[in-house]
Amino acid sequence: MDMQVLRERAGLSRAEVAFRLAISETSVRNWEAGRTEPTMTPKKFLDALRLFKCTPEELAAASEKSINQRHKRKPGRPRRFPENPVNQAPPINQVGQVNQVSDSPSFHFKEAGY
């Protein structure tokens, strides 16, 4: 049983859990996703036990299961730039390979059609 199952078994929404424990809904979501572990004062811990209607062992096991599930998931997005791209751009010409253009006025007139 993970944190989400524990919450659903108690018949609560994330918003209700957040409100009753005076924490953010994001914290509850992060607990369920296994991104963070619940950290609480002793009073909040007792409130959570009453809220989820569970034993301390069940709460600890649910938190640990959520964390373990997080690490078994596939990683996020695939790499945006693959290491071995299929279509590589040709290398840029070196400075010494630049075509030489004559700076004489006759050259410019001939190119312009005069």
Side-chain angles (χ1 to χ4, degrees):
M1 171 177 356
D2 61 8
M3 292 297 289
Q4 182 175 353
V5 172
L6 199 63
R7 173 183 58 80
E8 289 172 349
R9 186 182 78 176
L12 300 167
S13 69
R14 286 186 185 127
E16 288 173 317
V17 171
F19 178 76
R20 291 185 184 181
L21 293 178
I23 58 175
S24 71
E25 194 173 336
T26 302
S27 293
V28 178
R29 190 178 312 113
N30 286 337
W31 293 352
E32 292 180 1
R35 286 188 280 274
T36 59
E37 290 186 59
T39 53
M40 303 177 223
T41 63
K43 182 185 179 315
K44 279 200 184 186
F45 182 73
L46 292 175
D47 291 342
L49 292 178
R50 283 188 213 106
L51 187 62
F52 293 126
K53 301 173 188 150
C54 67
T55 64
E57 292 81 17
E58 286 177 318
L59 184 59
S63 174
E64 188 170 331
K65 186 170 182 184
S66 291
I67 294 293
N68 289 338
Q69 285 177 351
R70 165 84 172 150
H71 295 295
K72 289 180 184 176
R73 291 185 188 148
K74 294 179 182 177
R77 294 184 196 170
R79 294 183 70 135
R80 187 170 184 180
F81 301 104
E83 290 179 21
N84 297 323
V86 177
N87 298 326
Q88 286 185 330
I92 299 173
N93 290 338
Q94 298 294 326
V95 175
Q97 296 175 341
V98 174
N99 294 336
Q100 295 295 325
V101 178
S102 174
D103 287 333
S104 68
S106 61
F107 173 80
H108 293 292
F109 288 126
K110 288 180 184 174
E111 288 292 317
Y114 294 106

